[in-house]
mmCIF file of all heavy atoms in Angstrom:
data_model
loop_
_atom_site.group_PDB
_atom_site.id
_atom_site.type_symbol
_atom_site.label_atom_id
_atom_site.label_comp_id
_atom_site.label_asym_id
_atom_site.label_seq_id
_atom_site.Cartn_x
_atom_site.Cartn_y
_atom_site.Cartn_z
ATOM 1 N N VAL H 1 8.535 -15.830 -4.931
ATOM 2 C CA VAL H 1 8.413 -14.713 -3.985
ATOM 3 C C VAL H 1 8.990 -13.447 -4.595
ATOM 4 O O VAL H 1 8.384 -12.369 -4.507
ATOM 5 C CB VAL H 1 9.112 -15.047 -2.656
ATOM 6 C CG1 VAL H 1 9.231 -13.791 -1.778
ATOM 7 C CG2 VAL H 1 8.342 -16.123 -1.890
ATOM 8 N N ARG H 2 10.151 -13.571 -5.239
ATOM 9 C CA ARG H 2 10.748 -12.393 -5.883
ATOM 10 C C ARG H 2 9.829 -11.857 -6.968
ATOM 11 O O ARG H 2 9.630 -10.640 -7.097
ATOM 12 C CB ARG H 2 12.116 -12.749 -6.471
ATOM 13 C CG ARG H 2 13.231 -12.842 -5.445
ATOM 14 C CD ARG H 2 14.588 -12.838 -6.102
ATOM 15 N NE ARG H 2 14.797 -14.028 -6.915
ATOM 16 C CZ ARG H 2 15.362 -15.142 -6.489
ATOM 17 N NH1 ARG H 2 15.781 -15.233 -5.237
ATOM 18 N NH2 ARG H 2 15.534 -16.170 -7.294
ATOM 19 N N GLY H 3 9.253 -12.751 -7.759
ATOM 20 C CA GLY H 3 8.330 -12.319 -8.811
ATOM 21 C C GLY H 3 7.101 -11.641 -8.244
ATOM 22 O O GLY H 3 6.626 -10.636 -8.791
ATOM 23 N N HIS H 4 6.581 -12.194 -7.145
ATOM 24 C CA HIS H 4 5.407 -11.583 -6.522
ATOM 25 C C HIS H 4 5.733 -10.188 -6.013
ATOM 26 O O HIS H 4 4.928 -9.263 -6.154
ATOM 27 C CB HIS H 4 4.913 -12.449 -5.366
ATOM 28 C CG HIS H 4 3.881 -11.762 -4.521
ATOM 29 N ND1 HIS H 4 2.573 -11.618 -4.919
ATOM 30 C CD2 HIS H 4 3.983 -11.141 -3.321
ATOM 31 C CE1 HIS H 4 1.912 -10.954 -4.000
ATOM 32 N NE2 HIS H 4 2.736 -10.646 -3.026
ATOM 33 N N ARG H 5 6.901 -10.025 -5.427
ATOM 34 C CA ARG H 5 7.275 -8.713 -4.893
ATOM 35 C C ARG H 5 7.402 -7.678 -6.011
ATOM 36 O O ARG H 5 6.986 -6.528 -5.851
ATOM 37 C CB ARG H 5 8.578 -8.817 -4.104
ATOM 38 C CG ARG H 5 8.410 -9.494 -2.755
ATOM 39 C CD ARG H 5 9.684 -9.453 -1.955
ATOM 40 N NE ARG H 5 9.465 -9.939 -0.605
ATOM 41 C CZ ARG H 5 10.417 -10.025 0.314
ATOM 42 N NH1 ARG H 5 11.658 -9.638 0.014
ATOM 43 N NH2 ARG H 5 10.154 -10.471 1.523
ATOM 44 N N ARG H 6 7.977 -8.088 -7.129
ATOM 45 C CA ARG H 6 8.083 -7.154 -8.257
ATOM 46 C C ARG H 6 6.698 -6.758 -8.747
ATOM 47 O O ARG H 6 6.429 -5.579 -9.009
ATOM 48 C CB ARG H 6 8.900 -7.789 -9.389
ATOM 49 C CG ARG H 6 10.395 -7.872 -9.118
ATOM 50 C CD ARG H 6 11.158 -8.215 -10.370
ATOM 51 N NE ARG H 6 10.820 -9.538 -10.869
ATOM 52 C CZ ARG H 6 11.484 -10.645 -10.536
ATOM 53 N NH1 ARG H 6 12.518 -10.583 -9.694
ATOM 54 N NH2 ARG H 6 11.141 -11.821 -11.020
ATOM 55 N N ALA H 7 5.804 -7.747 -8.878
ATOM 56 C CA ALA H 7 4.441 -7.456 -9.330
ATOM 57 C C ALA H 7 3.702 -6.585 -8.323
ATOM 58 O O ALA H 7 2.950 -5.679 -8.700
ATOM 59 C CB ALA H 7 3.681 -8.768 -9.560
ATOM 60 N N ALA H 8 3.937 -6.847 -7.013
ATOM 61 C CA ALA H 8 3.267 -6.057 -5.978
ATOM 62 C C ALA H 8 3.719 -4.604 -6.030
ATOM 63 O O ALA H 8 2.902 -3.688 -5.849
ATOM 64 C CB ALA H 8 3.546 -6.658 -4.601
ATOM 65 N N ARG H 9 5.002 -4.384 -6.275
ATOM 66 C CA ARG H 9 5.488 -3.007 -6.360
ATOM 67 C C ARG H 9 4.862 -2.269 -7.537
ATOM 68 O O ARG H 9 4.480 -1.100 -7.419
ATOM 69 C CB ARG H 9 7.019 -3.001 -6.464
ATOM 70 C CG ARG H 9 7.729 -3.298 -5.147
ATOM 71 C CD ARG H 9 9.194 -2.954 -5.224
ATOM 72 N NE ARG H 9 9.914 -3.826 -6.138
ATOM 73 C CZ ARG H 9 10.525 -4.947 -5.770
ATOM 74 N NH1 ARG H 9 10.492 -5.343 -4.501
ATOM 75 N NH2 ARG H 9 11.175 -5.679 -6.647
ATOM 76 N N ARG H 10 4.736 -2.975 -8.665
ATOM 77 C CA ARG H 10 4.097 -2.345 -9.832
ATOM 78 C C ARG H 10 2.621 -2.059 -9.545
ATOM 79 O O ARG H 10 2.100 -0.995 -9.910
ATOM 80 C CB ARG H 10 4.231 -3.249 -11.057
ATOM 81 C CG ARG H 10 5.653 -3.356 -11.593
ATOM 82 C CD ARG H 10 5.675 -3.986 -12.975
ATOM 83 N NE ARG H 10 5.190 -5.360 -12.952
ATOM 84 C CZ ARG H 10 5.968 -6.420 -12.811
ATOM 85 N NH1 ARG H 10 7.293 -6.270 -12.652
ATOM 86 N NH2 ARG H 10 5.465 -7.637 -12.819
ATOM 87 N N ARG H 11 1.949 -3.003 -8.872
ATOM 88 C CA ARG H 11 0.528 -2.827 -8.562
ATOM 89 C C ARG H 11 0.324 -1.671 -7.581
ATOM 90 O O ARG H 11 -0.599 -0.863 -7.745
ATOM 91 C CB ARG H 11 -0.035 -4.125 -7.993
ATOM 92 C CG ARG H 11 -1.533 -4.089 -7.721
ATOM 93 C CD ARG H 11 -2.060 -5.472 -7.439
ATOM 94 N NE ARG H 11 -1.427 -6.094 -6.292
ATOM 95 C CZ ARG H 11 -0.545 -7.094 -6.354
ATOM 96 N NH1 ARG H 11 -0.194 -7.603 -7.530
ATOM 97 N NH2 ARG H 11 -0.014 -7.609 -5.271
ATOM 98 N N GLU H 12 1.185 -1.586 -6.581
ATOM 99 C CA GLU H 12 1.056 -0.508 -5.601
ATOM 100 C C GLU H 12 1.289 0.851 -6.255
ATOM 101 O O GLU H 12 0.619 1.831 -5.922
ATOM 102 C CB GLU H 12 2.055 -0.731 -4.465
ATOM 103 C CG GLU H 12 1.661 -1.886 -3.555
ATOM 104 C CD GLU H 12 2.770 -2.263 -2.589
ATOM 105 O OE1 GLU H 12 3.817 -1.562 -2.596
ATOM 106 O OE2 GLU H 12 2.600 -3.237 -1.838
ATOM 107 N N ALA H 13 2.246 0.899 -7.186
ATOM 108 C CA ALA H 13 2.496 2.168 -7.869
ATOM 109 C C ALA H 13 1.279 2.589 -8.677
ATOM 110 O O ALA H 13 0.915 3.780 -8.723
ATOM 111 C CB ALA H 13 3.723 2.030 -8.779
ATOM 112 N N ALA H 14 0.617 1.591 -9.308
ATOM 113 C CA ALA H 14 -0.578 1.911 -10.088
ATOM 114 C C ALA H 14 -1.727 2.340 -9.180
ATOM 115 O O ALA H 14 -2.470 3.283 -9.494
ATOM 116 C CB ALA H 14 -0.993 0.696 -10.923
ATOM 117 N N LEU H 15 -1.878 1.679 -8.033
ATOM 118 C CA LEU H 15 -2.971 2.018 -7.117
ATOM 119 C C LEU H 15 -2.807 3.404 -6.514
ATOM 120 O O LEU H 15 -3.797 4.090 -6.230
ATOM 121 C CB LEU H 15 -3.057 0.969 -6.001
ATOM 122 C CG LEU H 15 -3.574 -0.418 -6.411
ATOM 123 C CD1 LEU H 15 -3.474 -1.396 -5.253
ATOM 124 C CD2 LEU H 15 -5.013 -0.323 -6.907
ATOM 125 N N ARG H 16 -1.574 3.816 -6.319
ATOM 126 C CA ARG H 16 -1.347 5.150 -5.758
ATOM 127 C C ARG H 16 -1.832 6.258 -6.689
ATOM 128 O O ARG H 16 -2.063 7.386 -6.245
ATOM 129 C CB ARG H 16 0.136 5.341 -5.430
ATOM 130 C CG ARG H 16 0.587 4.646 -4.153
ATOM 131 C CD ARG H 16 1.936 5.153 -3.693
ATOM 132 N NE ARG H 16 2.999 4.820 -4.630
ATOM 133 C CZ ARG H 16 3.729 3.707 -4.566
ATOM 134 N NH1 ARG H 16 3.505 2.836 -3.595
ATOM 135 N NH2 ARG H 16 4.670 3.468 -5.443
ATOM 136 N N ARG H 17 -1.974 5.915 -7.948
ATOM 137 C CA ARG H 17 -2.449 6.910 -8.907
ATOM 138 C C ARG H 17 -3.974 6.966 -8.967
ATOM 139 O O ARG H 17 -4.540 7.804 -9.673
ATOM 140 C CB ARG H 17 -1.884 6.609 -10.310
ATOM 141 C CG ARG H 17 -0.355 6.714 -10.379
ATOM 142 C CD ARG H 17 0.132 6.700 -11.820
ATOM 143 N NE ARG H 17 -0.057 5.406 -12.445
ATOM 144 C CZ ARG H 17 0.865 4.433 -12.435
ATOM 145 N NH1 ARG H 17 2.022 4.630 -11.819
ATOM 146 N NH2 ARG H 17 0.645 3.291 -13.036
ATOM 147 N N LEU H 18 -4.659 6.060 -8.240
ATOM 148 C CA LEU H 18 -6.124 6.013 -8.246
ATOM 149 C C LEU H 18 -6.679 6.734 -7.024
ATOM 150 O O LEU H 18 -6.014 6.837 -5.990
ATOM 151 C CB LEU H 18 -6.603 4.555 -8.236
ATOM 152 C CG LEU H 18 -6.214 3.694 -9.438
ATOM 153 C CD1 LEU H 18 -6.652 2.259 -9.205
ATOM 154 C CD2 LEU H 18 -6.820 4.244 -10.721
ATOM 155 N N PRO H 19 -7.930 7.228 -7.109
ATOM 156 C CA PRO H 19 -8.556 7.834 -5.924
ATOM 157 C C PRO H 19 -8.805 6.772 -4.869
ATOM 158 O O PRO H 19 -8.988 5.586 -5.187
ATOM 159 C CB PRO H 19 -9.878 8.393 -6.476
ATOM 160 C CG PRO H 19 -10.148 7.596 -7.707
ATOM 161 C CD PRO H 19 -8.803 7.285 -8.305
ATOM 162 N N PRO H 20 -8.819 7.142 -3.576
ATOM 163 C CA PRO H 20 -9.007 6.151 -2.502
ATOM 164 C C PRO H 20 -10.385 5.498 -2.570
ATOM 165 O O PRO H 20 -11.371 6.126 -2.938
ATOM 166 C CB PRO H 20 -8.842 6.974 -1.222
ATOM 167 C CG PRO H 20 -9.141 8.381 -1.638
ATOM 168 C CD PRO H 20 -8.660 8.499 -3.062
ATOM 169 N N LEU H 21 -10.427 4.200 -2.187
ATOM 170 C CA LEU H 21 -11.685 3.454 -2.159
ATOM 171 C C LEU H 21 -12.349 3.615 -0.791
ATOM 172 O O LEU H 21 -11.683 3.862 0.216
ATOM 173 C CB LEU H 21 -11.411 1.964 -2.417
ATOM 174 C CG LEU H 21 -10.839 1.623 -3.796
ATOM 175 C CD1 LEU H 21 -10.482 0.143 -3.833
ATOM 176 C CD2 LEU H 21 -11.836 1.962 -4.886
ATOM 177 N N PRO H 22 -13.685 3.482 -0.730
ATOM 178 C CA PRO H 22 -14.358 3.543 0.584
ATOM 179 C C PRO H 22 -13.918 2.390 1.473
ATOM 180 O O PRO H 22 -13.624 1.287 0.993
ATOM 181 C CB PRO H 22 -15.847 3.426 0.220
ATOM 182 C CG PRO H 22 -15.866 2.779 -1.120
ATOM 183 C CD PRO H 22 -14.637 3.267 -1.834
ATOM 184 N N VAL H 23 -13.856 2.623 2.785
ATOM 185 C CA VAL H 23 -13.421 1.613 3.738
ATOM 186 C C VAL H 23 -14.515 0.574 3.926
ATOM 187 O O VAL H 23 -15.672 0.918 4.154
ATOM 188 C CB VAL H 23 -13.077 2.268 5.096
ATOM 189 C CG1 VAL H 23 -12.703 1.203 6.119
ATOM 190 C CG2 VAL H 23 -11.952 3.280 4.920
ATOM 191 N N GLU H 24 -14.168 -0.698 3.815
ATOM 192 C CA GLU H 24 -15.119 -1.789 4.002
ATOM 193 C C GLU H 24 -15.049 -2.286 5.445
ATOM 194 O O GLU H 24 -13.993 -2.233 6.080
ATOM 195 C CB GLU H 24 -14.802 -2.949 3.051
ATOM 196 C CG GLU H 24 -14.939 -2.591 1.576
ATOM 197 C CD GLU H 24 -16.372 -2.323 1.179
ATOM 198 O OE1 GLU H 24 -17.276 -2.842 1.871
ATOM 199 O OE2 GLU H 24 -16.593 -1.582 0.203
ATOM 200 N N PRO H 25 -16.156 -2.803 5.994
ATOM 201 C CA PRO H 25 -16.123 -3.343 7.358
ATOM 202 C C PRO H 25 -15.206 -4.561 7.451
ATOM 203 O O PRO H 25 -15.094 -5.338 6.501
ATOM 204 C CB PRO H 25 -17.589 -3.734 7.622
ATOM 205 C CG PRO H 25 -18.198 -3.894 6.266
ATOM 206 C CD PRO H 25 -17.490 -2.909 5.378
ATOM 207 N N ASP H 26 -14.540 -4.723 8.587
ATOM 208 C CA ASP H 26 -13.626 -5.848 8.814
ATOM 209 C C ASP H 26 -14.414 -7.034 9.349
ATOM 210 O O ASP H 26 -14.988 -6.973 10.432
ATOM 211 C CB ASP H 26 -12.539 -5.433 9.805
ATOM 212 C CG ASP H 26 -11.488 -6.517 9.994
ATOM 213 O OD1 ASP H 26 -11.598 -7.556 9.328
ATOM 214 O OD2 ASP H 26 -10.587 -6.315 10.814
ATOM 215 N N LEU H 27 -14.456 -8.128 8.599
ATOM 216 C CA LEU H 27 -15.201 -9.328 8.990
ATOM 217 C C LEU H 27 -14.245 -10.476 9.251
ATOM 218 O O LEU H 27 -14.433 -11.583 8.745
ATOM 219 C CB LEU H 27 -16.207 -9.696 7.884
ATOM 220 C CG LEU H 27 -17.195 -8.599 7.488
ATOM 221 C CD1 LEU H 27 -18.072 -9.054 6.335
ATOM 222 C CD2 LEU H 27 -18.055 -8.204 8.683
ATOM 223 N N ALA H 28 -13.209 -10.253 10.054
ATOM 224 C CA ALA H 28 -12.142 -11.247 10.203
ATOM 225 C C ALA H 28 -12.242 -12.078 11.474
ATOM 226 O O ALA H 28 -11.277 -12.724 11.857
ATOM 227 C CB ALA H 28 -10.785 -10.541 10.169
ATOM 228 N N ASP H 29 -13.394 -12.069 12.168
ATOM 229 C CA ASP H 29 -13.483 -12.793 13.433
ATOM 230 C C ASP H 29 -13.178 -14.279 13.277
ATOM 231 O O ASP H 29 -12.508 -14.881 14.115
ATOM 232 C CB ASP H 29 -14.877 -12.629 14.048
ATOM 233 C CG ASP H 29 -15.100 -11.228 14.596
ATOM 234 O OD1 ASP H 29 -14.088 -10.516 14.761
ATOM 235 O OD2 ASP H 29 -16.256 -10.867 14.845
ATOM 236 N N GLU H 30 -13.678 -14.878 12.194
ATOM 237 C CA GLU H 30 -13.500 -16.325 12.036
ATOM 238 C C GLU H 30 -12.083 -16.699 11.667
ATOM 239 O O GLU H 30 -11.728 -17.877 11.641
ATOM 240 C CB GLU H 30 -14.481 -16.881 10.987
ATOM 241 C CG GLU H 30 -14.153 -16.510 9.532
ATOM 242 C CD GLU H 30 -14.710 -15.151 9.157
ATOM 243 O OE1 GLU H 30 -15.141 -14.410 10.073
ATOM 244 O OE2 GLU H 30 -14.719 -14.854 7.961
ATOM 245 N N VAL H 31 -11.252 -15.711 11.340
ATOM 246 C CA VAL H 31 -9.857 -16.016 11.002
ATOM 247 C C VAL H 31 -8.926 -15.323 11.989
ATOM 248 O O VAL H 31 -7.840 -14.884 11.628
ATOM 249 C CB VAL H 31 -9.531 -15.599 9.548
ATOM 250 C CG1 VAL H 31 -10.253 -16.464 8.561
ATOM 251 C CG2 VAL H 31 -9.845 -14.125 9.313
#
């Protein structure tokens, strides 16, 4: 869990430097 959190923080920092992606439809009814 600690390793995942460190990786997630690095990934989020990288994503913040990218332009926003188009919003996809939410298909979560079955879950």
Side-chain angles (χ1 to χ4, degrees):
V1 169
R2 283 195 294 268
H4 169 76
R5 286 186 172 179
R6 286 193 296 268
R9 285 194 293 268
R10 290 193 296 267
R11 184 168 59 253
E12 288 170 4
L15 289 174
R16 283 195 295 269
R17 296 192 291 269
L18 297 175
L21 296 174
V23 177
E24 297 292 336
D26 185 2
L27 304 176
D29 288 344
E30 72 275 12
V31 291

